[in-house]
Amino acid sequence: MRALGRPSTTIPLLLSLILIPLTLGMTFWWTPEDIDQGLSQKIFYLHVPIALASYAAFGYGAVCAALYLWKRTDDWDLRSYVGVHSGTIFGTLVLLTGPIWAKASWGVWWNWGDKQLNVFLILFLYYCAYFMLRFSLDEGERRRAASAVFVLLGVGLIPLSFLAVRIAETLIHPSVFTTTGAAMPSSFLLTFLVGLAGMLSLMALLMAIELRGKRAALRVLELQRRARGEDA
Amino acid sequence: MIRPALAIARVKLVLELRRREVLFAMLLFIAATIVIVHFALSGAGAGGERAAAGMLWAAVVFTAVLGLLRTFAAESEDGALDALLLAPIDRAAIWFGAALAQLGFLIVVEVIAVPVWWLLFFQHGGPRILPLVGALVLADVGIALVGTLAAALALGARTRDVLLPVLVLPLLIPLVLAGVTATYGAFGEESDVLRPLGFLALYDLVFAALAWGTSEHLLGD
Amino acid sequence: MIRPALAIARVKLVLELRRREVLFAMLLFIAATIVIVHFALSGAGAGGERAAAGMLWAAVVFTAVLGLLRTFAAESEDGALDALLLAPIDRAAIWFGAALAQLGFLIVVEVIAVPVWWLLFFQHGGPRILPLVGALVLADVGIALVGTLAAALALGARTRDVLLPVLVLPLLIPLVLAGVTATYGAFGEESDVLRPLGFLALYDLVFAALAWGTSEHLLGD
Amino acid sequence: MDAPAVSLSACSKRFGDRLALRKATLTVAPGETIVLLGPNGAGKSTLLRLVAGLLRPTAGSAQIGNAEACSAPRSLRAGLAYAGHRAQLYRGLTARENLGLHARLHRLTDLDIDAALDGVGLADRADERIDGFSRGMLQRLALARAIAHAPGLLLLDEPASGLDAAGRLLLDGVLMDGLGQRTQLIASHDHELPARLGVRTVHLAGGRLA
Amino acid sequence: MDAPAVSLSACSKRFGDRLALRKATLTVAPGETIVLLGPNGAGKSTLLRLVAGLLRPTAGSAQIGNAEACSAPRSLRAGLAYAGHRAQLYRGLTARENLGLHARLHRLTDLDIDAALDGVGLADRADERIDGFSRGMLQRLALARAIAHAPGLLLLDEPASGLDAAGRLLLDGVLMDGLGQRTQLIASHDHELPARLGVRTVHLAGGRLA
Ligand code: HEM
Ligand SMILES: Nc1ncnc2c1ncn2[C@@H]1O[C@H](COP(=O)(O)OP(=O)(O)OP(=O)(O)O)[C@@H](O)[C@H]1O
Ligand SMILES: Nc1ncnc2c1ncn2[C@@H]1O[C@H](COP(=O)(O)OP(=O)(O)OP(=O)(O)O)[C@@H](O)[C@H]1O
Ligand SMILES: [Mg+2]
Ligand SMILES: [Mg+2]
């Protein structure tokens, strides 16, 4: 377990502390207000980086799951779990900030006609199911393997969902709402990128803390067992 | 790999067909779904064809989930799964055999359900047969592959019956979308029925590959 | 009669719901179901309210069939049914306990599902609550009574009359149709919501009486 | 004189084409203990299940007390215990919950579950779900359940199977204690059991009482 | 010298909080027969399932031949047989169909199913669905299945349970025939079995080998 190294918390912590306030500052005092959407557009700098960070976390979880199945080292299982967990936490935030934005700009909480929303909903349900699976199995090798396999199936599901929604576009009535125009002022883009970096650092921090916690809990259990005279 | 899988699939189908009640429960379920949805949408006056397509696919998916709940039931009952795990065959063959049986089961149900559906909704006209059958078969393959995989994952779980639908349904959403789209296409409404059919084939391939790659880890402790 | 039935119902619910994740799983399950049905029917462009009502009832039936398939699963597993048959209680209490558990299960599912359904489809407006809840509860009672009866018949009649449960199960369709009608009524679309509710109540009474009368012969050899 | 505790008269049981029990006639006096011997498939389990009322005779009658076993009134069933090949327990419950359900169904308000579990050596496993129990532990729990409500008629089908040496001693103790106290009908493949208990044996073969 | 047929080294198995097997170390030479004794819950079944590869050790290793049991190649599994507490049979199939499936999975093209069934006294029940079988008949069928593919390593968990006197003789015969011919590991509560076979015993208690 040690061989896999200790995830650093200091670097992501420092980066988050700098970048997230910076994003907020840039959002409110630097970028100009959107002409069409006004103040509500500002949630963009929060919403989209969070969404992308959650995808990154799911991806990380899948990589670790594959490594687990290959190496069968418990720590990869922990990492995979932590990845999916953080991704789901951020996903919840997406599902919270998204509807707020939607209400502000479209006037409804949810638009069944929007691809991104639908795909994200499918994925969110899917990763919630991951937790169900994990907690319905008894702790042990089988649970780790089953969790890893399920995460890997998600790798297939994500692109397939996008594709399916695209193909079905004709049947899901096309969105009557126009999205923000493609031309983005450079201040938008820069703020967005800073925001993205901030969210990724926050994500890394979250995962490092959780991984440490989980490892410590395992270590405590191990010590308790040893104290009871059991070594396995 | 193929021969043991066929042997297992055969046994499972024999068992299923000897216990008729489950098959009946599914047919009933299909009938009920079609009737309810028909009734629910009857007042809406909207495109009858599209509603009919949706109905068919909703019924197919939920019937499949009901069938999946029983996938490894016979094996858990008396420890028969142990015997399969001990046999000198790949673990993939166990999963593949179960998937084949599930596919057979779905096809049996659809051979009965689709004509009923047709009779109820299309006294004249109706979708082109070939694309519809193609879409159903491709979707059945996907459902069987993915569903059996999920059933294998959920095998040791204590709350298996609640868990399995939760695992399977999100995985099947893209399949349903493509299936419905293909059925619309089969009505001649949309020009290209080939894109959704292609998607279904792709879906089957992707999950077959994923299942294949992970099948060693699916069953057993 | 009541006390043993309650004891049995409690055990069965404990077995189903012991783990708190089960509730969460149900929430997910309902959400996935609604999404699938929504996608399947989204092209139909049907009247929102009617489609919503149909969706709710389709989900209820599906969940009920899912639950009913398992009604006596825990008892058959290790011969626990023998212990119940041997206990100094009426056989009706066994069936009644199972029906209560089934009712509890359905109600728990709906307590989660209906608010989700409501949020998704009616951000403003929506059906009147009282008739809707009334229809659901009455229908749940009917489903639990008839469904458990069918399951008990299937259990006792292992050898021969597999057909009997199949005859009983279609009886659920009128129940659901009345439920959908009552839900329309609750939207204020139809004038009288009372007629379907009355029908549901009558249905429950008739089958309670029938089940009561036959319960001695339901289980065991 | 008392009515016989158990009486079979020309009792037959058919499963499909197979006659599992052929016109068995047997009377067991109250307080008597009988060991049922016979080869595999002889019909021992079928006989016990008929007496327990779990099966209905195809022909003839199986009575406990003065009632037909399969429709015995609740008062008679309250004094009956049957432990068969299957454990008759809910796999998803703990040992304590299983006995608790039994107590509630039998209205045993004052059953000391801890003592009952202790009696079969399961005191420290009371709150574990029984699907983690070993074969012998399940058998012990089934035994504890069978005697929990102090039955007057105890039907045991190969109660020693899966038990270790200590468990078999414990079982012998239970059976000894019951001698003369209650009617006991025990199916077994242990040919020394009748001698150990000093009781009558009944032989079954091919569904026929010998 | 040959590699040991079975070797456990510091092999432990944990279920949740319970250590079912603690650092068991055991070597069985090819052709050796060992009887595993120990009280209920000692860990006998767990040990056998580890050797069969149905469980994966929590720590340490369980090997058959030169491979880890839980990931043994097909060639090794072809020479392995395990009959546990559960019959591992499909309830809805007949005896013949069950053996037929076994033959197909093991590629035994020339298995004489009738002879195999006759060997355990089930010749006349070949075409009956086994959910009508008695306890002992199931156990006989499980035994027939276990030896059908002439395994080089035979793992039996309380194979005598449910068998009548004739069945136990038959079982003893099978075990005797296997002495020196194949490696045999037998969990049992029959303390006379080792002497009858004239073989080594291993004692387990509380998950520990003594
Ligand atoms: C994977 C998940 C998501 C990603 C990657 C994502 C990404 C984005 C992006 C890139 C935009 C900018 C709009 C554009 O330029 O096209 C956006 C806008 C928006 N998103 Fe999301 N989003 C996600 C999920 C959600 C969810 C779940 C909601 C919930 C309702 C939501 C609601 C919105 C709204 C209302 C807008 C504004 C659209 C507009 O201005 O017209 N998003 N999202
Ligand atoms: N449900 C059933 N369906 C069909 N046949 C049955 C059924 N139950 C028992 N039999 C048959 O009845 C006969 C007697 O079975 P029973 O279980 O009573 O034997 P047993 O004496 O208990 O044998 P064992 O010692 O093996 O337990 C057997 O031939 C068996 O196959
Ligand atoms: N799946 C499981 N989950 C939890 N605990 C288990 C499981 N399997 C076995 N155990 C526990 O491990 C211990 C050893 O069990 P095992 O079945 O190996 O005993 P055994 O020696 O075979 O006993 P018996 O003679 O009763 O068959 C027991 O305490 C048992 O409760
Ligand atoms: Mg018997
Ligand atoms: Mg054991």
Side-chain angles (χ1 to χ4, degrees):
Chain A
M1 189 195 272
R2 293 299 135 209
L4 290 163
R6 278 163 62 91
S8 160
T9 47
T10 17
I11 298 170
L13 178 63
L14 285 178
L15 282 176
S16 318
L17 281 180
I18 297 167
L19 289 174
I20 291 177
L22 183 63
T23 318
L24 291 178
M26 288 168 82
T27 304
F28 287 105
W29 285 292
W30 190 52
T31 58
E33 196 161 291
D34 188 87
I35 308 138
D36 302 331
Q37 300 180 41
L39 201 61
S40 68
Q41 184 268 343
K42 303 267 183 209
I43 206 171
F44 171 83
Y45 305 110
L46 205 59
H47 170 77
V48 181
I50 293 177
L52 295 182
S54 76
Y55 275 127
F58 290 141
Y60 174 78
V63 171
C64 295
L67 283 168
Y68 172 75
L69 288 182
W70 184 26
K71 306 259 193 205
R72 289 268 173 174
T73 323
D74 294 2
D75 203 59
W76 286 121
D77 170 65
L78 276 191
R79 284 168 179 248
S80 167
Y81 168 77
V82 166
V84 175
H85 190 210
S86 315
T88 313
I89 293 173
F90 272 53
T92 312
L93 289 179
V94 174
L95 287 173
L96 288 176
T97 54
I100 291 174
W101 193 358
K103 185 71 180 170
S105 72
W106 301 336
V108 290
W109 294 108
W110 190 269
N111 172 19
W112 284 105
D114 190 90
K115 290 183 275 204
Q116 230 151 34
L117 264 61
N118 285 322
V119 171
F120 200 72
L121 184 63
I122 298 172
L123 293 186
F124 188 74
L125 289 175
Y126 180 78
Y127 284 107
C128 286
Y130 168 83
F131 294 99
M132 299 306 315
L133 174 66
R134 197 172 168 96
F135 293 116
S136 313
L137 292 169
D138 286 333
E139 162 82 66
E141 194 99 3
R142 190 173 140 63
R143 168 165 116 177
R144 293 191 282 271
S147 308
V149 171
F150 194 72
V151 176
L152 286 179
L153 291 185
V155 175
L157 183 65
I158 294 176
L160 283 174
S161 301
F162 272 110
L163 204 58
V165 171
R166 247 178 61 80
I167 285 176
E169 230 170 338
T170 42
L171 86 106
I172 300 176
H173 19 91
S175 174
V176 290
F177 315 98
T178 47
T179 46
T180 342
M184 231 190 242
S186 58
S187 61
F188 277 35
L189 183 63
L190 190 63
T191 312
F192 166 71
L193 288 178
V194 174
L196 181 58
M199 278 308 155
L200 288 175
S201 321
L202 188 63
M203 174 71 79
L205 178 66
L206 197 75
M207 295 202 291
I209 291 174
E210 196 184 0
L211 186 59
R212 282 188 173 192
K214 288 259 177 281
R215 282 176 174 177
L218 275 188
R219 185 92 189 115
V220 168
L221 200 65
E222 206 176 294
L223 290 175
Q224 276 174 351
R225 283 174 182 165
R226 198 161 291 174
R228 267 186 275 143
E230 307 169 359
D231 309 86
Chain B
M1 167 71 204
I2 298 297
R3 284 184 43 213
L6 284 177
I8 292 169
R10 220 187 97 216
V11 160
K12 293 178 77 66
L13 278 177
V14 165
L15 286 173
E16 238 11 91
L17 297 178
R18 275 190 195 162
R19 275 180 58 104
R20 269 159 313 204
E21 70 222 44
V22 180
L23 199 66
F24 279 123
M26 302 218 164
L27 287 178
L28 167 83
F29 171 72
I30 288 213
T33 310
I34 292 181
V35 171
I36 290 169
V37 181
H38 178 68
F39 195 70
L41 297 179
S42 57
E49 292 183 343
R50 294 192 153 226
M55 231 170 275
L56 178 68
W57 283 90
V60 165
V61 169
F62 289 112
T63 314
V65 172
L66 285 181
L68 287 171
L69 284 174
R70 306 201 15 89
T71 303
F72 289 109
E75 280 81 10
S76 342
E77 198 177 41
D78 234 340
L81 185 63
D82 287 352
L84 297 184
L85 291 173
L86 289 166
I89 56 174
D90 287 332
R91 293 203 164 167
I94 304 175
W95 159 77
F96 191 53
L100 281 179
Q102 182 63 26
L103 178 63
F105 189 72
L106 276 173
I107 287 179
V108 168
V109 172
E110 282 167 10
V111 163
I112 306 175
V114 172
V116 172
W117 170 78
W118 196 292
L119 274 179
L120 276 177
F121 294 100
F122 313 105
Q123 272 106 27
H124 25 254
R128 277 175 287 146
I129 293 186
L130 211 66
L132 178 66
V133 170
L136 281 172
V137 169
L138 285 173
D140 288 348
V141 171
I143 293 173
L145 287 173
V146 170
T148 317
L149 202 66
L153 290 179
L155 207 56
R158 298 204 155 136
T159 49
R160 208 173 138 236
D161 301 284
V162 194
L163 181 63
L164 187 57
V166 172
L167 299 184
V168 177
L169 288 178
L171 284 166
L172 294 186
I173 293 177
L175 205 80
V176 174
L177 272 175
V180 175
T181 314
T183 311
Y184 289 1
F187 284 120
E189 272 191 27
E190 254 77 359
S191 54
D192 47 0
V193 64
L194 286 181
R195 259 175 62 199
L197 285 183
F199 173 83
L200 288 174
L202 179 70
Y203 182 100
D204 293 353
L205 277 179
V206 168
F207 279 104
L210 278 173
W212 201 268
T214 54
S215 64
E216 266 313 297
H217 310 284
L218 282 183
L219 297 155
D221 188 41
Chain C
M1 165 74 204
I2 297 299
R3 283 184 46 211
L6 285 177
I8 293 169
R10 219 187 98 214
V11 161
K12 293 179 77 67
L13 280 178
V14 165
L15 287 172
E16 289 293 333
L17 304 179
R18 143 125 46 211
R19 311 186 127 221
R20 54 199 148 57
E21 306 100 74
V22 172
L23 290 183
F24 186 59
M26 283 182 191
L27 185 73
L28 281 180
F29 164 70
I30 300 282
T33 305
I34 291 180
V35 170
I36 287 206
V37 177
H38 180 82
F39 278 156
L41 296 178
S42 55
E49 290 183 344
R50 292 200 149 223
M55 239 169 260
L56 177 68
W57 285 91
V60 167
V61 173
F62 176 59
T63 318
V65 172
L66 208 137
L68 287 173
L69 280 178
R70 307 200 8 86
T71 304
F72 288 109
E75 280 80 10
S76 351
E77 199 176 41
D78 236 338
L81 184 63
D82 287 352
L84 297 184
L85 291 173
L86 288 167
I89 57 174
D90 287 332
R91 293 206 162 163
I94 303 174
W95 159 77
F96 191 52
L100 280 180
Q102 182 63 25
L103 179 63
F105 179 76
L106 278 173
I107 287 180
V108 168
V109 172
E110 283 164 8
V111 163
I112 304 173
V114 173
V116 172
W117 171 77
W118 195 292
L119 271 180
L120 281 176
F121 293 100
F122 314 104
Q123 270 126 29
H124 24 254
R128 277 174 290 147
I129 294 185
L130 214 65
L132 178 66
V133 170
L136 282 171
V137 170
L138 285 174
D140 289 349
V141 171
I143 293 174
L145 286 174
V146 174
T148 318
L149 198 68
L153 285 174
L155 206 66
R158 214 204 211 119
T159 40
R160 218 140 285 267
D161 332 10
V162 206
L163 218 61
L164 231 40
V166 179
L167 292 180
V168 176
L169 279 173
L171 293 174
L172 289 182
I173 292 183
L175 199 81
V176 174
L177 288 184
V180 178
T181 315
T183 311
Y184 290 177
F187 285 119
E189 271 190 28
E190 255 79 355
S191 54
D192 47 359
V193 65
L194 285 181
R195 261 175 57 199
L197 285 184
F199 172 81
L200 289 173
L202 180 68
Y203 183 101
D204 293 355
L205 277 179
V206 168
F207 280 99
L210 272 178
W212 201 267
T214 54
S215 63
E216 266 313 299
H217 312 285
L218 282 183
L219 299 152
D221 187 44
Chain D
M1 210 202 96
D2 268 354
V6 173
S7 79
L8 301 181
S9 54
C11 182
S12 299
K13 180 68 195 181
R14 172 184 291 286
F15 295 105
D17 271 350
R18 182 160 305 274
L19 255 185
L21 202 66
R22 301 168 194 231
K23 296 201 170 181
T25 299
L26 174 72
T27 313
V28 188
E32 194 180 6
T33 295
I34 286 186
V35 175
L36 217 58
L37 295 175
N40 291 141
K44 303 179 295 298
S45 301
T46 305
L47 191 151
L48 287 180
R49 291 176 68 83
L50 281 163
V51 173
L54 290 171
L55 296 178
R56 195 183 285 270
T58 312
S61 85
Q63 298 197 314
I64 58 175
N66 285 320
E68 211 49 48
C70 58
S71 53
R74 301 202 315 216
S75 58
L76 272 176
R77 272 186 282 154
L80 175 91
Y82 162 76
H85 289 305
R86 296 194 294 172
Q88 302 175 29
L89 298 163
Y90 281 97
R91 284 276 154 155
L93 298 182
T94 66
R96 186 190 304 284
E97 286 166 339
N98 267 298
L99 286 189
L101 174 65
H102 183 72
R104 224 164 293 127
L105 294 180
H106 280 259
R107 299 174 180 268
L108 309 173
T109 43
D110 53 351
L111 178 68
D112 185 345
I113 293 183
D114 286 300
L117 287 172
D118 197 38
V120 293
L122 290 174
D124 54 330
R125 310 295 292 259
D127 293 305
E128 260 175 63
R129 281 173 53 137
I130 65 167
D131 44 13
F133 275 19
S134 80
R135 173 81 188 81
M137 287 160 63
L138 279 178
Q139 190 72 21
R140 283 159 183 257
L141 186 56
L143 181 64
R145 211 255 310 262
I147 56 177
H149 55 292
L153 172 58
L154 180 62
L155 309 170
L156 298 178
D157 200 351
E158 298 186 39
S161 81
L163 291 183
D164 58 11
R168 288 198 301 267
L169 274 180
L170 197 140
L171 172 67
D172 276 5
V174 166
L175 295 178
M176 291 287 192
D177 288 348
L179 288 180
Q181 303 298 311
R182 60 176 164 236
T183 316
Q184 305 185 122
L185 215 60
I186 305 140
S188 177
H189 291 299
D190 178 358
H191 287 261
E192 286 142 32
L193 181 64
R196 268 205 317 279
L197 296 176
V199 298
R200 168 155 90 105
T201 59
V202 166
H203 285 270
L204 256 174
R208 261 186 253 277
L209 283 173
Chain E
M1 212 202 95
D2 268 354
V6 174
S7 79
L8 302 181
S9 54
C11 183
S12 300
K13 179 69 195 181
R14 172 183 292 287
F15 296 105
D17 267 351
R18 182 160 305 274
L19 257 185
L21 201 68
R22 301 170 192 230
K23 295 202 167 185
T25 299
L26 175 71
T27 313
V28 187
E32 194 181 5
T33 295
I34 285 186
V35 175
L36 216 58
L37 295 175
N40 291 141
K44 302 179 295 299
S45 301
T46 305
L47 191 150
L48 287 180
R49 293 176 67 82
L50 281 162
V51 173
L54 291 170
L55 296 177
R56 195 183 281 269
T58 312
S61 84
Q63 299 197 312
I64 58 176
N66 284 321
E68 212 48 51
C70 58
S71 52
R74 299 202 314 214
S75 58
L76 272 176
R77 272 186 283 153
L80 175 91
Y82 161 77
H85 289 305
R86 295 193 294 172
Q88 301 174 30
L89 299 163
Y90 281 99
R91 284 277 153 153
L93 298 183
T94 66
R96 186 190 304 283
E97 286 167 339
N98 267 298
L99 285 189
L101 175 65
H102 183 72
R104 224 163 293 129
L105 295 181
H106 280 259
R107 298 174 180 267
L108 309 174
T109 43
D110 53 352
L111 178 68
D112 185 345
I113 293 183
D114 287 300
L117 287 171
D118 196 38
V120 293
L122 290 175
D124 54 330
R125 311 294 292 258
D127 294 305
E128 258 174 64
R129 279 172 54 148
I130 66 166
D131 45 12
F133 274 20
S134 80
R135 172 83 187 80
M137 288 158 63
L138 278 180
Q139 190 71 23
R140 283 159 182 257
L141 185 57
L143 181 65
R145 210 253 313 259
I147 55 177
H149 55 291
L153 172 58
L154 181 62
L155 309 169
L156 298 178
D157 200 352
E158 299 187 38
S161 81
L163 292 183
D164 58 12
R168 287 198 301 268
L169 274 181
L170 197 140
L171 172 68
D172 276 6
V174 166
L175 296 178
M176 291 286 190
D177 289 347
L179 288 179
Q181 303 298 310
R182 59 175 165 238
T183 317
Q184 306 185 119
L185 215 61
I186 304 139
S188 176
H189 291 300
D190 178 357
H191 287 260
E192 287 142 32
L193 181 64
R196 268 206 315 279
L197 297 176
V199 299
R200 168 155 90 104
T201 60
V202 167
H203 285 269
L204 256 174
R208 262 184 250 278
L209 283 173

